Amino acid sequence: MTRTLLRRGAALLASLLCVVVLSPVAGHADNPVVQTIYTADPAALVHNGRVYLYTGHDEDGSTYFTMKDWRVYSSADMVNWTDHGSPMSLATFSWASTDAWAGQTVYRNGRFYWYVPVKNRATGRMAIGVAVADSPTGPFRDAIGRPLVENGEIDPHAFVDDTGQAYLYWGNPNLWYVRLNTDMVSFSGGPTQIPLTTAGFGARSGNPSRPTLYEEAPWVYKRNGLYYNVFAAECCSEFIAYSTAPGPTGPWTYRGTIMPRQGASFTNHAAVVDFNGGSYFFYHNGALPGGGGFTRSVAVERFAYRADGTIPTITMTTSGAPQVGTLNPYVRQEAETIAWSVGVETEPSSEGGMNVGWLNNGDYIKVKGAAFGAGATSFTARVASATTGGRIEVRLGGVTGTTVGTCTVPVTGGWQTWTTVTCPVSGLTGTQDVYLRFAGGSGNLFNVNWWQFR
C-alpha cells in the first residue's frame, strides 16, 4: 500500500478512535486484520492449532479488480496475524494472463489444494486452476498445468464432506458444482448447475435475468448434519446471505441475511470456520485509508449460532474478534506478527520468511495480549539498516504510552545485513498489549526480522 497514504490515513483513524475510546490499550482497532496492504476475498482454513487466512491482493490505487497474486496469513489467537507473504501468483499458472481473483484452500492427502479463478490466455475466459503445496504457507505449484474446469465463471470453493466425497462449487451468475476425485485435481462426470430457485436462494426484484439473490462466492460447509451455503447476494452493493440443505447439492432453502450491506466496498465475500471453541465469520470491506470497492481489506467477527442452528445477523466492527489465549513473548516472534500497525510494510527476508520494513519515525506495531508473567528483563530484536538506523521503543498502554525499554539500531550496511540488538526492559508483568514504536531521523530507518523478550 502507498505508505504516505497509509501512514497519514491510519494515524488519523487511530486518533479519531482514541477520541471515542477511553482505554488507551483498546484505542486502536484490530479490524481489518491486515493493515500493510489491501486484501480481499478471505478463505480460512484451520490446521494444527492455527487459522490460515488466504486472501487476494488489491493493488494500490486500483480502479478495477487489479489483482496479480495471493497472500497467506495465520494466527493462533485470532488477533495477532503473521504475514507469510505471497506463495502463489499469476506466474504460478503458465496458461493464465490476468485476474488473480477469489480462491480457497483445503487440506487433504497430506497436501494443501488452492483453487483459484484466473483468465485463460488461450480462450480469454475465466477458468478455475488448482495449485498444490506440502505446507499451508506454500510455495504452491500448478497441480495439472491447465485449467481444472472452465465455463467463464468464478469464485471456486472446495468442500470435503465427512463421507469422503469432495465437491467444488463456483459461479457468477450461475452456481455450479463437480464431484472431485480423491486426488483433488480431477473430477467425475461433468459440471452440474444447481437450480437457482427463489425458495432456495431468495427473491430479487427488478432484474428479470437474475431472479434470485445469489450473486457469487459460495462457501459450503456442514454443521450438525445440516449443510450451509453462505454467499454474496444481490450486487451492488452486496450483502451476505445463506441457505441450508439436507445434502451437499441441495435442495436448498433460503434462510436470510447474515451481514447486511455496509462498509465502503460494494462487494463482500465470506468465509466461516470454527476454531478453539468459537465460530468466526470473515469478510472484506474498504475500511483502510484509501479503501473502497477495488481496495478492500479483510476483517473477522466472532459469532454464536442460535439454538436452532440459524446464523444471527453480524455487523462489521473495528474491534474484531476477541483474543483466544495469549501470545508468548519469551519465544521468538516474527516482526510481521501484528495485531495493528501504522506505516509498516513487509517483504521477503534474506534469512527466510518475511521482515517488516520501510519504517519511518513514529511508525509502530501493536502486539496484543503478550503474557509476561512475573516480568521480562530484556528485549532482543534482529535488525538491519542501510541508512541511519534508529531506535525501537517498547511501550505499554498505547503508542504514546509508558516507555519500558529502548533498543538502539545501528547502521549495518544493508537492508538485509542483519545484526541482533538487546536492551533492558522494566515494568513488563502480567498480560499486556505491547507497542513497538520506531524512532529516529527522516526517511526509512531500519528493518526488523524478529524479536523476543527474556
Side-chain angles (χ1 to χ4, degrees):
M1 188 182 302
T2 304
R3 55 180 297 103
T4 300
L5 174 65
L6 175 61
R7 182 181 295 108
R8 292 177 181 172
L12 174 62
L13 175 62
S15 66
L16 291 173
L17 287 167
C18 286
V19 169
V20 297
V21 183
L22 298 179
S23 167
V25 172
H28 302 291
D30 296 313
N31 260 341
V33 298
V34 177
Q35 308 88 41
T36 54
I37 62 170
Y38 296 119
T39 55
D41 304 321
L45 170 67
V46 177
H47 182 73
N48 284 350
R50 294 186 73 85
V51 176
Y52 289 88
L53 177 60
Y54 299 85
T55 77
H57 171 208
D58 287 335
E59 295 291 325
D60 293 356
S62 293
T63 56
Y64 181 64
F65 302 111
T66 306
M67 308 172 78
K68 302 175 182 178
D69 63 356
W70 296 268
R71 301 294 178 116
V72 181
Y73 303 85
S74 73
S75 178
D77 61 13
M78 297 304 295
V79 298
N80 297 299
W81 291 89
T82 301
D83 184 345
H84 299 287
S86 174
M88 190 170 77
S89 70
L90 287 171
T92 302
F93 304 94
S94 62
W95 49 271
S97 58
T98 59
D99 300 339
W101 289 356
Q104 187 246 347
T105 303
V106 295
Y107 174 73
R108 196 177 196 187
N109 308 325
R111 291 181 171 180
F112 300 85
Y113 298 87
W114 199 341
Y115 302 87
V116 292
V118 291
K119 185 169 288 185
N120 185 344
R121 182 182 293 106
T123 65
R125 297 195 307 172
M126 294 302 293
I128 308 301
V130 55
V132 64
D134 299 320
S135 162
T137 58
F140 285 79
R141 61 190 182 275
D142 189 349
I144 56 178
R146 55 176 172 77
L148 173 63
V149 64
E150 177 178 347
N151 64 0
E153 300 195 37
I154 60 172
D155 288 359
H157 169 80
F159 163 65
V160 182
D161 202 350
D162 53 17
T163 63
Q165 177 63 59
Y167 299 84
L168 183 71
Y169 305 84
W170 77 98
N172 178 345
N174 302 295
L175 178 58
W176 303 81
Y177 75 90
V178 293
R179 288 182 171 86
L180 292 169
N181 296 326
T182 55
D183 63 9
M184 300 300 285
V185 298
S186 63
F187 55 87
S188 299
T192 300
Q193 192 169 344
I194 293 176
L196 293 178
T197 65
T198 55
F201 295 92
R204 183 188 315 218
S205 61
N207 188 349
S209 66
R210 301 289 291 265
T212 75
L213 293 173
Y214 175 83
E215 187 75 27
E216 59 186 350
W219 183 274
V220 178
Y221 64 99
K222 186 179 184 180
R223 179 181 182 270
N224 294 339
L226 187 66
Y227 294 83
Y228 292 72
N229 187 344
V230 176
F231 57 91
E234 196 179 29
C235 188
C236 287
S237 62
E238 293 175 341
F239 63 97
I240 302 297
Y242 79 111
S243 303
T244 61
T249 62
W252 297 97
T253 300
Y254 182 64
R255 297 299 182 185
T257 298
I258 300 175
M259 178 169 279
R261 293 181 174 96
Q262 54 193 292
S265 170
F266 61 85
T267 66
N268 204 345
H269 190 111
V272 181
V273 295
D274 288 341
F275 175 67
N276 206 6
S279 298
Y280 295 89
F281 182 87
F282 291 85
Y283 59 96
H284 69 223
N285 57 28
L288 284 184
F294 302 117
T295 45
R296 299 159 292 179
S297 295
V298 170
V300 64
E301 311 293 344
R302 184 171 178 170
F303 75 97
Y305 291 88
R306 298 188 183 101
D308 62 359
T310 57
I311 301 174
T313 301
I314 301 171
T315 58
M316 300 180 183
T317 73
T318 55
S319 56
Q323 187 167 14
V324 179
T326 56
L327 181 139
N328 183 357
Y330 298 121
V331 299
R332 170 174 156 170
Q333 296 288 345
E334 296 300 314
E336 62 275 11
T337 297
I338 297 170
W340 189 260
S341 66
V342 167
V344 174
E345 298 184 32
T346 64
E347 65 179 348
S349 170
S350 63
E351 296 189 323
M354 305 287 283
N355 64 257
V356 299
W358 293 274
L359 307 176
N360 287 192
N361 183 58
D363 294 347
Y364 70 90
I365 288 171
K366 171 188 174 183
V367 179
K368 195 169 185 179
F372 290 99
T377 58
S378 69
F379 172 78
T380 297
R382 187 73 167 165
V383 296
S385 178
T387 53
T388 61
R391 304 182 306 278
I392 302 175
E393 300 171 353
V394 182
R395 293 177 177 257
L396 300 181
V399 69
T400 60
T402 303
T403 301
V404 296
T406 302
C407 272
T408 299
V409 177
V411 177
T412 65
W415 294 116
Q416 295 293 321
T417 303
W418 298 98
T419 192
T420 303
V421 297
T422 300
C423 56
V425 295
S426 61
L428 279 169
T429 60
T431 299
Q432 303 271 6
D433 293 352
V434 177
Y435 293 75
L436 303 180
R437 181 182 183 272
F438 310 115
S442 61
N444 297 333
L445 302 175
F446 52 85
N447 294 347
V448 185
N449 192 9
W450 54 262
W451 55 263
Q452 183 174 355
F453 288 89
R454 301 184 188 278

